[in-house]
Amino acid sequence: MKHLFVPLTIAKLLVEKGFNEPCIAFYDYKSELTIFEQHPETNITCYKNSEVRQEGNVLAPLNQQVIEWFAKEHKIYICIDSIREDYFLFALWSFTGKKNIHDEGESFENYNDCLTNAIKEASTFI
Amino acid sequence: MEKELNYLFIPYEQALELNKLGFNEKCSFYWSIGYEDFKQILSSEKYQKGNSISAPLYQQAFKFFTDKGLMYCINPSSTFGKYQVGFLGKHGWELIKDSDGKNLRYSYEEAETSCLKKLITLCKEQQNKSNLDLIKADAVSMIDEYGKETAITLANSYIEECIELKGDTFYWEQLKKLIIEYTS
């Protein structure tokens, strides 16, 4: 299920940029992804970066969480387009200026590489 | 501790639909069938009982459809903070419209749900079409092998058998219809 979460480098970058949404998984000091154990008696178990106490642990946001975080917190919408399963492009839209701040350029062979690059680019605007 | 992360997961009704459509990806969470109204709807694999279905994340559900060749987009509209939903069809990208033909605009959450519902509909249509293609091929093959009369007799006998066993007669009804159509 690792592909559902942003890579560690992006997770660290997001911490620097102030990402503090609750997450259901984290990267430990060995860079391994672990999903928090869940309990049916409560609801979903998750933590925020501000609640992580163990040094070296970084919360692992889901791809969809990051897209929503940029849209809601920074009014930047990451748009991933695809017309084939091995051809992905990204564009960035700013809601504040109602403008396209990064037009589709380089293409990527898979969704995750495309999204990773989109997040890096979007991070330069905040 | 923040516990409200349910918005990351597709609604129960759509999870049931995905299950029927063949979604079979690994999930960390599950819905107990029939308990969708309870707050404690999601449990870990550890606690999973037999009577449950997987609870896909939106991103997992969308990937399920793109893997089937159903392309979609959720793009910002010219209206501040609103989104439009589109699908790649025979004539290029087509946005979801209202009854007056105007493009619908949604909040992000609404756009995700509308997109998902439409993808489920498109996927069902795709499956029905591919089922029909298979039945067409079977009809041609039966005509070649048995000839019109025997093929119809065989189809009739299977229809009766299905009725007797309280099974679904759709396949044989369609097959019989196509045999008659192709040989008339």
Side-chain angles (χ1 to χ4, degrees), chain A residues 67-126:
Chain A
I67 293 173
E68 288 180 34
W69 180 72
F70 271 105
K72 284 177 182 165
E73 298 297 321
H74 299 287
K75 309 289 181 234
I76 293 172
Y77 182 65
I78 297 172
C79 179
I80 308 281
D81 275 341
S82 170
I83 49 168
R84 286 202 320 259
E85 60 187 26
D86 60 348
Y87 189 86
F88 295 87
L89 300 160
F90 75 85
L92 302 177
W93 287 82
S94 165
F95 280 151
T96 315
K98 292 187 188 175
K99 62 181 180 182
N100 188 341
I101 52 177
H102 176 94
D103 206 357
E104 291 174 341
E106 190 185 354
S107 66
F108 301 89
E109 284 186 2
N110 67 66
Y111 178 89
N112 280 31
D113 284 350
C114 187
L115 180 62
T116 298
N117 280 277
I119 294 169
K120 280 182 191 166
E121 181 72 20
S123 298
T124 63
F125 293 96
I126 56 175

Side-chain angles (χ1 to χ4, degrees), chain A residues 1 4 22 24 35 37-48 51 62-65 67-68 71-72 77 79 81-85 93 95-96 98, chain B residues 1-9 26-29 39-40 42-44 46-47 57-60 71 73-76 78 80 83 88 93 108-109 112:
Chain A
M1 293 182 72
L4 299 173
I24 58 171
I35 296 175
E37 191 173 338
Q38 312 298 316
H39 300 277
E41 295 80 11
T42 60
N43 211 325
I44 305 167
T45 305
C46 52
Y47 293 89
K48 291 181 175 182
E51 296 166 334
L62 289 158
N63 293 333
Q64 71 184 76
Q65 277 185 292
I67 293 173
E68 288 180 34
K72 284 177 182 165
Y77 182 65
C79 179
D81 275 341
S82 170
I83 49 168
R84 286 202 320 259
E85 60 187 26
W93 287 82
F95 280 151
T96 315
K98 292 187 188 175
Chain B
M1 187 190 300
E2 181 65 61
K3 290 175 181 172
E4 296 299 331
L5 270 180
N6 295 20
Y7 76 97
L8 296 171
F9 299 87
K26 186 173 165 55
C27 292
S28 282
F29 303 91
K39 231 186 159 189
Q40 290 82 17
L42 301 163
S43 60
S44 73
K46 188 177 164 183
Y47 299 96
L57 294 156
Y58 270 100
Q59 69 185 78
Q60 285 181 295
M71 298 302 171
C73 64
I74 298 176
N75 286 346
S78 53
F80 181 75
Y83 297 84
L88 189 59
W93 288 98
Y108 190 77
E109 289 80 4
E112 275 189 323

